[in-house]
Amino acid sequence: MYALVIPALKLPRQMAGAFDYAVPDALAAEIGPGSVVMVPWRGRAVPGVVTALRKTADVDAKRVKTITGICAPERVPEELLNVFAWMAEKYAASPATVVQCFLPTIPKRVNADASPAPEKKPLKSREFKGRVVRYSAPAAKLVETVAVVRASLAAGRGAIVVVPHLDDVRDAVVALRESCGDDVVAEFHGNMRMTALWKAWRKAASAAPAVIVGTRMAVGAPVASLGAIVVHECDSQDLKQYDQNPRYDSRLVARRRAEAAGAELVFMAHAPRAEEYALATRGGYAWEEPPVRTEPSDIVIAEFPRGARSAEERLLTPTAEEAATEALRSGKKVLLFHNRRGTATALICKDCGRAERCETCAAPLRVHGDGLHCHRCGRTSQSPLVCSACASPSFRTIGLGTGAVAPFLSKAFPEAKVVQIDADSRTADLSEADIVVGTQLLLHAASESLLAPSFGAVIATSADDLLGHPGFRATENAWRTMQTLADVAAASGCRLVLQTLDGENPGVRRLMADPEAFLKDELAARDAAGFPPKADLVAVTAVAPTEAEARGKIERLAASLRSVAGTTISVSGPLRPSNPFRH
């Protein structure tokens, strides 16, 4: 007897998906599709997943090596094996690389563990059901999650809860354990110790229904008899793996898996993306709004004075300053959303006007105290004494980051305690702050915590900056930020102030549209332009020792693609990369 085994290794795309291994007679009764086994690979033992058994091998039997052991009696569910195969095709990765992404490192001492797995009770087949749930308060998100999971467990099935950030795992685990029991719920993420992660994997694959809570890799947990998948904050970009292969989107994997397993799929967010809205309007998913939303007492679009020149004058409009003063006077907190970290956005030579740029990727360097940081590739350096172009010692900065905004606010409101939260100060204590200033990290903390009811004013420093980002998602991302700020303000019943250079700008006005109105228009615009979800985008990156060589490679590839592209394929570029590789 032979087994087709996918080794858990990072292998090139062109290598075979599965390899033939002989099944020893002593293990023949215990090995089947989905079994996790140890196999020899180039002089060492590696784990792998059996995809099929057969009587003959594709290669000479003398060359076939033998499986050396079983890692666990539990098996990978059949529908998950099919999802792995789909992912390999979808994301142009080898099946081995996909398996390696989701199979934990296996402690050596478990190799001899081959006790027979308990039999699973047959369950009635179910039809897939999808929902998109928009919530305004974190408590509602957890209440809905608990209800979905409890229903799945009551039907004798397991569940998966996917969250975008490690910080959110604990909240979901606590809520589910209080409702479902400690022995049913397990964490599953890459920050766990090897032994703990392997135990969680086995718990998921066991016959007893289990609830797995984790980051994006949890979507590949081998939950047997899967009944539900819940995806929190389905608008978060952190649900997509972007730093290593396979560069998968856990939302797409969740859809594929839920459909294959006949499970319920629930996408949840403050402000879902156009992709999720398309599922509700075109894909048969249900769309659910909060039952009741308490609107902020006042939503104000405030224009900056025409005569404002300095960066400080363009930080707070008179309307925003009045709202902050009133909130502090009443003993409430002020939230100031300013999506630029650092001290300043650029360092400019006063004489020649040259901006200091990153030597690695040519992006303008951000000022952080007395140093310069590249927010694109991470390179850091000391501030120069003279301009590298004209040797002038005179510099000026443009734009304010959170590092400069916080001192300004302390000066403007001397009796208030100002705290900033961003990637440079993510551990700040917000509980005793009077004014909280920060980037998206602050927005997440405020919307997902108990701080929201304590705000007396919520201020977005610049709608124009939010709309000025590149990419087809810029308007949607800006609208999503405004929706989250509106939810935070609604929880406190306070004023939401949106600052802008032009209050009559239709783009700015559009940011305050209700979800269905905005997403309907956004979806129509995407359809007209051929952007997702109307079509898929594939980014191809060329890597070379120099930018000129990389550009030459990508230009030749673009020309080749255009020569074979049909009417359903459009080729754009080459474009300058937004996130270049580091040297």
Side-chain angles (χ1 to χ4, degrees), residues 477-512:
N477 289 339
W479 168 79
R480 185 178 301 113
T481 297
M482 289 302 105
Q483 283 293 305
T484 305
L485 287 170
D487 284 338
V488 172
S492 296
C494 70
R495 180 182 300 183
L496 170 61
V497 180
L498 174 59
Q499 299 187 145
T500 178
L501 294 171
D502 182 6
E504 298 303 318
N505 182 346
V508 173
R509 292 284 177 178
R510 191 174 168 220
L511 296 183
M512 304 313 297

Side-chain angles (χ1 to χ4, degrees), residues 235-513:
D235 56 323
S236 174
Q237 62 180 357
D238 291 320
L239 291 170
K240 185 173 183 179
Q241 180 157 288
Y242 48 83
D243 56 349
Q244 57 182 312
N245 284 333
R247 288 176 167 81
Y248 67 94
D249 189 325
S250 60
R251 291 161 293 205
L252 293 181
V253 178
R255 284 177 55 191
R256 184 78 179 195
R257 188 170 180 190
E259 290 170 1
E264 181 180 12
L265 175 60
V266 182
F267 285 129
M268 307 179 74
H270 275 286
R273 305 177 303 163
E275 283 87 340
E276 282 74 55
Y277 183 70
L279 290 175
T281 55
R282 304 171 183 176
Y285 284 52
W287 172 271
E288 298 180 11
E289 286 276 350
V292 178
R293 173 177 171 179
T294 303
E295 294 295 338
S297 56
D298 200 3
I299 301 178
V300 178
I301 295 180
E303 288 190 24
F304 287 101
R306 299 292 181 182
R309 293 188 175 185
S310 69
E312 288 80 4
E313 289 178 315
R314 295 196 300 271
L315 177 61
L316 288 181
T317 61
T319 301
E321 190 169 352
E322 178 186 346
T325 301
E326 183 180 333
L328 294 172
R329 187 182 297 122
S330 62
K332 294 283 190 176
K333 298 181 188 295
V334 176
L335 185 152
L336 194 75
F337 175 71
H338 187 78
N339 206 29
R340 293 180 184 177
R341 63 187 177 95
T343 307
T345 54
L347 185 67
I348 307 292
C349 175
K350 287 184 177 180
D351 291 335
C352 70
R354 180 185 184 276
E356 291 296 315
R357 293 182 174 273
C358 177
E359 295 179 4
T360 302
C361 62
L365 293 167
R366 302 294 180 92
V367 181
H368 286 250
D370 59 353
L372 300 178
H373 291 195
C374 179
H375 288 184
R376 184 176 289 174
C377 72
R379 186 186 182 94
T380 62
S381 62
Q382 291 294 316
S383 296
L385 297 176
V386 297
C387 174
S388 56
C390 70
S392 170
S394 300
F395 292 95
R396 64 184 178 91
T397 59
I398 60 172
L400 290 179
T402 50
V405 170
F408 168 77
L409 293 172
S410 295
K411 184 178 179 180
F413 303 96
E415 296 182 0
K417 182 177 180 179
V418 180
V419 172
Q420 72 180 82
I421 179 168
D422 51 31
D424 301 321
S425 55
R426 61 174 68 235
T427 59
D429 181 11
L430 306 183
S431 60
E432 298 181 359
D434 297 312
I435 301 177
V436 186
V437 56
T439 58
Q440 289 287 347
L441 284 176
L442 166 62
L443 199 60
H444 176 75
S447 62
E448 298 296 319
S449 74
L450 297 177
L451 282 175
S454 63
F455 291 115
V458 177
I459 302 167
T461 58
S462 177
D464 309 286
D465 284 350
L466 292 173
L467 290 169
H469 289 289
F472 70 92
R473 295 189 187 276
T475 302
E476 180 189 76
N477 289 339
W479 168 79
R480 185 178 301 113
T481 297
M482 289 302 105
Q483 283 293 305
T484 305
L485 287 170
D487 284 338
V488 172
S492 296
C494 70
R495 180 182 300 183
L496 170 61
V497 180
L498 174 59
Q499 299 187 145
T500 178
L501 294 171
D502 182 6
E504 298 303 318
N505 182 346
V508 173
R509 292 284 177 178
R510 191 174 168 220
L511 296 183
M512 304 313 297

Side-chain angles (χ1 to χ4, degrees), residues 94-150:
S94 69
T97 300
V98 175
V99 169
Q100 193 266 353
C101 180
F102 294 103
L103 185 66
T105 302
I106 300 172
K108 294 180 180 179
R109 58 188 175 86
V110 306
N111 290 355
D113 184 1
S115 56
E119 294 185 5
K120 299 175 183 177
K121 297 179 181 179
L123 296 171
K124 294 181 180 180
S125 60
R126 302 200 319 178
E127 291 187 2
F128 165 77
K129 181 174 68 173
R131 291 190 290 141
V132 181
V133 178
R134 202 185 78 77
Y135 61 87
S136 58
K141 174 179 64 175
L142 291 176
V143 167
E144 180 66 23
T145 299
V146 168
V148 172
V149 170
R150 284 177 62 89

